Structure formats: C-alpha cells, structure tokens
Amino acid sequence: MQMTRPIVESTEGVTLVAGGPVTRRDLSVALARAPVLVAADGGGDSALRLGRLPQAVIGDMDSLSHEGREALRGRVHHLPEQETTDFDKCLRSIRAPFVLALGVAGARIDHGLAVMNVLVRRTEPVCLLVGPQDVVFHAPPELRLRLKVGERISLFPLGPVTGESRGLRWPIDGIPFAPDGRVGTSNAVAEPEVRLAFDGPGMLVILPRARLDRALRALVPGWRAGATTAARGR
C-alpha cells in the first residue's frame, strides 16, 4: 500500500468533500462533527459553491475548475499519479482521528465501487461515508452499536468474512459472507445494543444516516457530540 507524508494533520475530525452532490445541510452536519475541511479535486468547487474555504485540496486535479484553482491558490496539492483514486489520495494524506466523506460516490456506479474498495483497504484514518440516506463504514474486528429496535442495519462483504452477532433479528453466526455469495443487507435491530465480531477485514456496515453520531461513538474512542471546536476553513 502506497504511503505518503500527511498533507493535513489534525487532532479533530476531518470533513472530506468530493465532486458528487453535496448540500449545504450535508456540509453543516459534517462540519459540526469534523470541523477541518478538505476537498478531493473537484470537491474544491463544491466547497466554494457552498461558501466554504477548504484547508487543502488533494487529487490529480483533472476536475477542479480554473476558477477553483485561482480561488484556492496555495491550498492545492497536485498528486498526478494515476494508480489510485482521488479518494485514496486524500485518505492517505490525512492524519486525523476520523474522516466524514461527502459526495465521494456521485452518480457513477464505478466511482462508488472504487470508493468502497478504498474504504476496506485503508483502515486509517477511520472513515465514514455520509450519503443522503445512509452512513457506511468498514467494520472493525469488534463493534458495539446502540440503535433503535426495528431499525435497518445492513452488512455487505467486500471479501470472504464470517462473524458473530447479538441483537440482530437475523443472527449472522457462522455464515460465510462473500461479495459473490451470501450478503447481509436489510437486517434489523432486535435489541437496543447490537454486538458484532468478525474474523477478518472486509465487512461494510450500512446504517440510516440519522445514526451517524451512534456510529462515531462506536468507532472513535472518546468522541461525543458537541465536543469539537468551531469549524475551520470558512
């Protein structure tokens, strides 16, 4: 896995904006939890359109407009290699407790699949994809989530993986999951605390977007809502 010196270092969470659809509300929700703003290539234009100035713009710069380059002069970090995606370039260039990624999949299925691939391969920093309806993250070996009974929880494997569960309507114990075999979408919460354990990497967890804070509490030690300082990059 390619390594690089970090471009952005923060003791707080980072909001990463890419070139896909991002609303003003999306960005406000993310910045309230991860106040350091970074853009992936054309996401620099998205940030400017929403009235925000990212601390850094990272990518191969095949999407950022000329106007965006001018407005963000001194903040653009051009990584021209074509072996990895802009999302990958950003994650390996950020050192922070966690990243909230917005607009990274967009309307293209191939982009979305590439993002999921990176999400599983890069275990640091912790990264959560925040979409219009869902929150997606790579499951750690053990996970405890406080959720509402009846809520949707989906598990999607990007590699062969088995696990154990407590608190799911349909337990997963001993099931051999695989992307070309059994998947675990549209399960449901049966108890207020869900416990999951996996025998290896590769499982994506998909929750309703309203459970973003619950996911952060489970994934980021010591995180609590309202603990961040004012958003930077304005």
Side-chain angles (χ1 to χ4, degrees):
M1 185 176 293
Q2 187 172 355
M3 302 297 292
T4 187
R5 293 181 61 185
I7 292 170
V8 175
E9 297 186 78
S10 174
T11 58
E12 299 178 294
V14 168
T15 292
L16 175 63
V17 175
V22 178
T23 67
R24 194 174 303 276
R25 181 176 181 276
D26 290 338
L27 191 53
S28 295
V29 166
L31 286 172
R33 293 154 176 81
V36 179
L37 181 60
V38 174
D41 201 344
D45 290 318
S46 299
L48 291 172
R49 174 176 54 82
L50 295 171
R52 304 281 183 163
L53 191 64
Q55 178 174 313
V57 184
I58 302 168
D60 61 11
M61 299 306 141
D62 65 349
S63 301
L64 184 65
S65 68
H66 175 74
E67 293 77 12
R69 286 175 183 260
E70 290 299 311
L72 296 165
R73 187 183 297 273
R75 299 169 184 259
V76 174
H77 299 267
H78 183 203
L79 304 182
E81 56 87 2
Q82 295 296 301
E83 296 297 318
T84 62
T85 64
D86 287 331
F87 180 56
D88 195 333
K89 291 177 175 70
C90 287
L91 286 192
R92 73 174 189 247
S93 300
I94 294 171
R95 184 174 295 163
F98 66 95
V99 172
L100 299 183
L102 308 175
V104 293
R108 287 179 51 176
I109 293 175
D110 58 343
H111 282 178
L113 290 172
V115 165
M116 301 303 175
N117 172 273
V118 173
L119 197 61
V120 166
R121 288 191 297 106
R122 290 203 173 273
T123 57
E124 292 183 353
V126 170
C127 182
L128 299 89
L129 310 184
V130 183
Q133 298 185 38
D134 301 306
V135 175
V136 186
F137 56 88
H138 183 210
E142 295 185 358
L143 180 67
R144 292 187 179 189
L145 290 161
R146 299 289 298 181
L147 301 169
K148 290 185 177 181
V149 173
E151 283 189 320
R152 167 178 57 88
I153 177 171
S154 290
L155 304 173
F156 195 93
L158 288 189
V161 59
T162 59
E164 298 177 350
S165 67
R166 287 183 58 185
L168 294 182
R169 181 177 298 171
W170 294 284
I172 66 168
D173 300 41
I175 295 175
F177 290 101
D180 61 348
R182 185 76 173 269
V183 299
T185 54
S186 298
N187 208 322
V189 176
E191 300 175 13
E193 183 177 75
V194 172
R195 298 186 184 186
L196 300 170
F198 300 99
D199 66 351
M203 185 66 83
L204 296 179
V205 180
I206 306 169
L207 301 176
R209 172 173 157 149
R211 296 296 161 250
L212 172 59
D213 287 350
R214 305 286 179 92
L216 282 170
R217 289 191 193 102
L219 295 169
V220 183
W223 186 88
R224 58 187 176 85
T228 59
T229 60
R232 300 174 188 169
R234 295 189 179 185

